Amino acid sequence: MPASRRGSGTITLPTGVTLNYHTRTNEEEDLPHATKKTMADHLRKFESLFTLTPQRMRMIVDAFTESLEIGLESSGQVVPMIPTFVFGWPSGHESGEYLALDLGGTNLRVCLVTLHGGGKFEITQSKYRLTEEQKHDDGQKLFDFCADCVKTFINSNLGDSEEMIKSGVKLPLGFTFSYPCSQERIDHGVLIRWTKGFSAPNTEGCDVAAMFREALEAQNVPVDLVALTCDTTGTLIASTYVNPKTKIAVIFGTGCNAAYMETIKEIPKLKGCGFADDTEIAINCEWGAFDSFQHEHLPRTKYDITVDESSNKPGEQAFEKLISGRYLGEILRLVICDLIDEGVLFLGQNTYKIEIPYSFDTAFLSLMESDPTDELLMIIGIFTHFFALETTLAERQFFRALAKLIGKRSARLSACGIAAIVNRKSLLEDGCSVGADGSLYNKYPGFADRVHEGLQDIFGDKGLNIVTHHAEDGSGIGSAIIAAMTKKRKETGLYPNY
Ligand code: BGC
């Protein structure tokens, strides 16, 4: 312990805990701040930690492409490459009224979709925000809540559900359940693992379609669960319904994932199921799991490792944890906390608010990057309003630059995933459209441009042939189209047991 505690410094206690202190007299008016030069030095360090060179990206793409292949060979692989039993593309003529239930990362949505054919549709929907409690409470309760929401929606939009049950009317429904499920047929799905912070017990290893059906029956909801699908598969189908050039769908939101169409003869693990060799089937890659457990290919910083180890699923969703909206704010917060611990930032200020895990929303990164003012007033607002912290211009410039590094890395890694599917399907020469959705893709400034830049770094000029575009609502419209395709397929007797 120093004789005088005037000024600022760091003390390590015998327990190993580090304390930062700052003592001032009433003669000093200003709080101490890091100098411009200190912030510039730190920025250089983070630049080298978070920057992905084209060469490194190509190495990731090679490993990724191999993982996709391994996933198609046999079940239970790290990237599970799940056959979804959505056979082929929509014709665009699908029509009729369908319900869609969307259980994503943040909300529960019930939709009534009227497909008019010719790529036209109408949608009416209700949204319910999921509470943190519901994400961790017993799984059957979650599905009971889903059934309850569907029933309320039917009663207020379509008529008395009890009357429908009496007269034997059942409305076809597509259930978009955006968590990895292994499927034996389209109306079945065993949850492999929860992602995106969910942990509802008694659900992993169970057939979630059966759990939802049980809830529907118990509450007399006049619904026929036709298809269980995931947001990416829905996005693939919804995008091609309106833009037939779409060959890949990706979601960059709370979680991240991709889907594309594969031919049966290229899927060794489906040999012997009796499907014709040239039949096409949509694959839900569940690529968020790439490099999980072994951590051999992705460059993880110590902040990424902390995010992983302090999550409710350590080791899992390694790719997703570097990319998706659930984690980017947390990564930046951990860097800031590290600099607080080192005595670089916010000396003499009370930092307890920013020390709360997940208190730094990824939306703040978007706002910081898009702050149009010279003084970076938006960043002043974020730090004073949400964290009661004062910042200097040099610090704000540093935070903005840091957000850019983290956001850019996310987009460039996303490009690696897309490139792996492009390789797998040899789409580079002819090019293709990639339907993309999710809060990061839609709201993070420059995200799509950075993905495109990344694709050029990987493929050179030919990377320009791969273009992402904002996709149609896969979890609502896509789910309804999949329900329509499935009903028709079964009516025509094609693979009726799947
Ligand atoms: C889930 C995927 C989903 C993705 C985007 C991931 O965490 O495992 O099923 O498609 O998030 O919502």
Side-chain angles (χ1 to χ4, degrees):
M1 178 91 57
S4 157
R5 296 205 46 179
R6 294 221 41 212
S8 303
T10 309
I11 312 165
T12 306
L13 299 178
T15 53
V17 173
T18 317
L19 281 186
N20 295 306
Y21 66 86
H22 170 70
T23 312
R24 67 184 170 100
T25 66
N26 57 356
E27 286 145 30
E28 293 170 50
E29 279 176 6
D30 293 334
L31 291 165
H33 283 283
T35 64
K36 210 168 170 177
K37 173 160 181 320
T38 320
M39 289 332 297
D41 287 347
H42 281 285
L43 188 58
R44 259 195 300 281
K45 183 176 84 196
F46 291 111
E47 263 163 12
S48 70
L49 271 183
F50 285 102
T51 302
L52 278 175
T53 62
Q55 191 196 7
R56 186 72 206 254
M57 290 171 82
R58 282 183 220 114
M59 283 163 68
I60 294 173
V61 175
D62 287 346
F64 214 128
T65 312
E66 202 184 319
S67 274
L68 302 184
E69 267 160 35
I70 293 173
L72 291 171
E73 268 158 28
S74 57
S75 304
Q77 300 303 320
V78 174
V79 179
M81 302 297 276
I82 299 162
T84 61
F85 303 98
V86 173
F87 292 98
W89 303 100
S91 64
H93 304 307
E94 289 74 12
S95 57
E97 276 199 335
Y98 297 86
L99 287 170
L101 174 69
D102 168 20
L103 184 65
T106 317
N107 298 308
L108 179 74
R109 206 161 46 115
V110 188
C111 317
L112 172 66
V113 183
T114 310
L115 301 173
H116 294 298
K120 303 249 172 344
F121 56 79
E122 259 169 75
I123 178 165
T124 311
Q125 52 184 331
S126 292
K127 233 182 196 179
Y128 308 82
R129 191 155 184 111
L130 290 167
T131 63
E132 275 311 302
E133 204 179 32
Q134 281 173 317
K135 297 180 188 173
H136 308 296
D137 207 348
D138 186 78
Q140 190 58 52
K141 276 200 193 163
L142 183 62
F143 294 111
D144 290 347
F145 175 69
C146 293
D148 193 17
C149 293
V150 174
K151 188 169 184 173
T152 310
F153 181 88
I154 293 177
N155 285 337
S156 46
N157 291 285
L158 290 157
D160 186 348
S161 55
E162 299 292 336
E163 285 303 317
M164 290 185 197
I165 286 275
K166 277 188 208 141
S167 46
V169 175
K170 282 205 163 182
L171 307 161
L173 176 138
F175 182 13
T176 311
F177 181 76
S178 301
Y179 305 88
C181 286
S182 58
Q183 296 192 272
E184 285 169 9
R185 42 178 204 283
I186 197 158
D187 56 359
H188 158 272
V190 173
L191 178 63
I192 302 174
R193 64 178 69 95
W194 282 118
T195 59
K196 299 180 274 202
F198 275 62
S199 70
N202 305 319
T203 323
E204 289 181 341
C206 302
D207 176 2
V208 292
M211 290 174 82
F212 181 45
R213 229 178 251 118
E214 192 182 313
L216 291 168
E217 275 161 24
Q219 296 182 49
N220 265 336
V221 191
V223 155
D224 180 19
L225 171 53
V226 178
L228 180 82
T229 180
C230 137
D231 50 6
T232 37
T233 314
T235 303
L236 182 69
I237 296 302
S239 294
T240 10
Y241 190 69
V242 292
N243 173 2
K245 278 195 77 181
T246 310
K247 296 283 179 258
I248 300 172
V250 286
I251 302 280
F252 302 118
T254 311
C256 76
N257 192 12
Y260 73 102
M261 208 54 88
E262 190 61 87
T263 19
I264 291 287
K265 61 173 179 300
E266 305 293 342
I267 313 175
K269 67 183 175 185
L270 286 187
K271 284 238 155 70
C273 290
F275 305 127
D277 265 6
D278 56 356
T279 299
E280 288 190 296
I281 189 168
I283 299 291
N284 167 18
C285 303
E286 286 296 341
W287 77 11
F290 170 61
D291 205 31
S292 291
F293 313 113
Q294 302 294 330
H295 307 299
E296 286 169 324
H297 305 294
L298 295 170
R300 294 197 309 161
T301 66
K302 70 172 182 177
Y303 309 102
D304 302 308
I305 294 172
T306 305
V307 165
D308 180 35
E309 288 176 353
S310 58
S311 75
N312 68 333
K313 298 280 182 179
E316 299 180 9
Q317 297 298 96
F319 188 56
E320 179 160 289
K321 282 174 179 155
L322 303 185
I323 290 184
S324 82
R326 180 171 167 76
Y327 304 102
L328 299 190
E330 181 62 2
I331 298 170
L332 189 134
R333 191 193 70 82
L334 287 168
V335 174
I336 293 179
C337 285
D338 210 17
L339 292 174
I340 294 174
D341 289 347
E342 284 176 24
V344 177
L345 286 174
F346 306 132
L347 273 170
Q349 301 195 56
N350 196 338
T351 51
Y352 76 98
K353 285 193 173 177
I354 206 163
E355 284 165 27
I356 301 168
Y358 288 90
S359 56
F360 207 93
D361 205 290
T362 297
F364 294 156
L365 274 70
S366 302
L367 290 170
M368 281 162 45
E369 279 215 53
S370 51
D371 191 334
T373 63
D374 290 343
E375 284 297 301
L376 300 177
L377 299 175
M378 178 70 81
I379 306 185
I380 296 187
I382 292 171
F383 278 85
T384 50
H385 183 77
F386 292 97
F387 304 104
L389 290 170
E390 275 178 34
T391 51
T392 59
L393 182 58
E395 287 165 347
R396 294 194 291 281
Q397 281 165 340
F398 168 78
F399 296 140
R400 196 223 296 256
L402 197 58
K404 191 168 167 189
L405 288 175
I406 295 171
K408 205 166 167 185
R409 185 185 66 161
S410 156
R412 288 170 76 76
L413 285 170
S414 304
C416 293
I418 296 174
I421 300 183
V422 167
N423 278 348
R424 156 103 215 126
K425 292 297 290 177
S426 311
L427 291 167
L428 189 59
E429 295 298 325
D430 291 345
C432 75
S433 245
V434 179
D437 206 354
S439 46
L440 264 190
Y441 185 83
N442 296 333
K443 297 193 188 143
Y444 200 106
F447 190 86
D449 292 341
R450 289 172 180 170
V451 170
H452 293 145
E453 253 169 54
L455 286 164
Q456 283 174 61
D457 279 352
I458 297 166
F459 290 130
D461 284 349
K462 285 190 180 158
L464 290 165
N465 294 349
I466 314 298
V467 182
T468 70
H469 63 91
H470 172 65
E472 263 322 320
D473 163 23
S475 308
I477 317 287
S479 190
I481 302 170
I482 290 173
M485 288 168 72
T486 306
K487 260 189 99 197
K488 179 140 187 230
R489 166 169 68 80
K490 293 200 173 176
E491 279 160 16
T492 56
L494 183 66
Y495 312 132
N497 299 326
Y498 291 95

